[in-house]
Amino acid sequence: MIVHLNGRFLADRDASISPLDRGFLFGDGVYEVVRAFDGTLVEAARHWTRLARSLREVRIPGGAFGAEAMSDLARWLLEENGLKRGHAIVYVEITRGSASPRTHHFPTAGTAPTIFAYASPFVPVDGHRIHGVPIILAPDERWGRCDIKSVNLLPNAMAKQLAVEAGAWETVFVRGGRITEGTSSNLFAVIDGVLRTHPTTHAILGGVTRDVVLEIARSSGLTVDEAAFTVAELESADEAYLTSTTNDVMPVVRVDAATIGGGEPGAMPRRLGEALRRLLYAGRAAGG
Ligand code: PDD
């Protein structure tokens, strides 16, 4: 695989990062995951806007990582790795760079951020969409700035492992009795005919897929409310689904022991999912 590291394209086995890199020592970095279809980046503008925001919020200088530079980089990686046909993902991570000695406070001004990126083939999880997936709940023990797409993903990794061990697809976090989001996805539910999802506060990542699905839902005339819902409301919801760059729209049919929608994917997730995939993967992707 040809990857990108600090301005160079090279084989992944030749790419090396200093052990003093702050991404390694402190998790001091941010990232994005972007889908590509037939060489076109999907919703690239929204992903690069969110990357710029994450950089700004953690005060990593972002001047070199604008939308045009990021799209060019992503397209190069797709090209270099023979991924101009079919589905692929592009991963981009930017850290505060490396500096010696190790200090908790930021290194001196002028320390170059580290940028690492790769593209790899992606197989959409279409099979699971037909039957829907089970999820489990876990306490949201993450920090108070989940709106920043930081590489500090230990709580997410630990919670996702619980899902794997329980034979579930995803773990969804609960904070103060209300659902926030999944370890790497947002959650929607249809409650009393209203499509609901957690609002974009500091408690969740404002998902790109979440935004697109909300736009599709509103333009199809559905009643939408960005209002957090309780565990009890989720367990008695008519329909529920996860959204993310890698899931698209994934119907949820079980939450812990509670069955959702009679154990079958609901009509709304199917309709929204089809609309999303038509929009995103039919050569009409925005900002690519
Ligand atoms: N994760 N919430 C969290 C905590 C996430 O990590 C993600 C995405 C989302 C959904 O965001 P989007 O629709 O923009 O993908 C919500 C990516 C896919 C990842 O970490 O691999």
Side-chain angles (χ1 to χ4, degrees), residues 125-236:
V125 285
D126 291 338
H128 294 274
R129 250 190 288 282
I130 298 167
H131 302 293
V133 295
I135 61 172
I136 60 170
L137 303 179
D140 197 339
E141 289 166 340
R142 300 174 301 161
W143 70 328
R145 290 303 307 272
C146 299
D147 57 309
I148 298 170
K149 200 161 171 58
S150 131
V151 294
N152 273 276
L153 292 171
L154 180 59
N156 307 56
M158 291 184 72
K160 183 65 179 234
Q161 181 61 21
L162 295 179
V164 170
E165 289 168 5
W169 185 255
E170 174 67 301
T171 300
V172 166
F173 292 120
V174 182
R175 194 184 287 245
R178 287 172 198 280
I179 304 296
T180 51
E181 62 178 338
T183 67
S184 60
S185 57
N186 295 111
L187 187 73
F188 286 73
V190 179
I191 299 163
D192 296 331
V194 178
L195 181 62
R196 285 179 48 191
T197 192
H198 197 288
T200 47
T201 63
H202 287 180
I204 67 157
L205 182 77
V208 167
T209 321
R210 174 190 177 283
D211 283 354
V212 177
V213 164
L214 281 172
E215 284 172 16
I216 295 172
R218 287 195 172 106
S219 68
S220 345
L222 299 175
T223 312
V224 174
D225 192 6
E226 292 179 62
F229 44 87
T230 63
V231 171
E233 284 177 311
L234 172 61
E235 286 176 346
S236 58

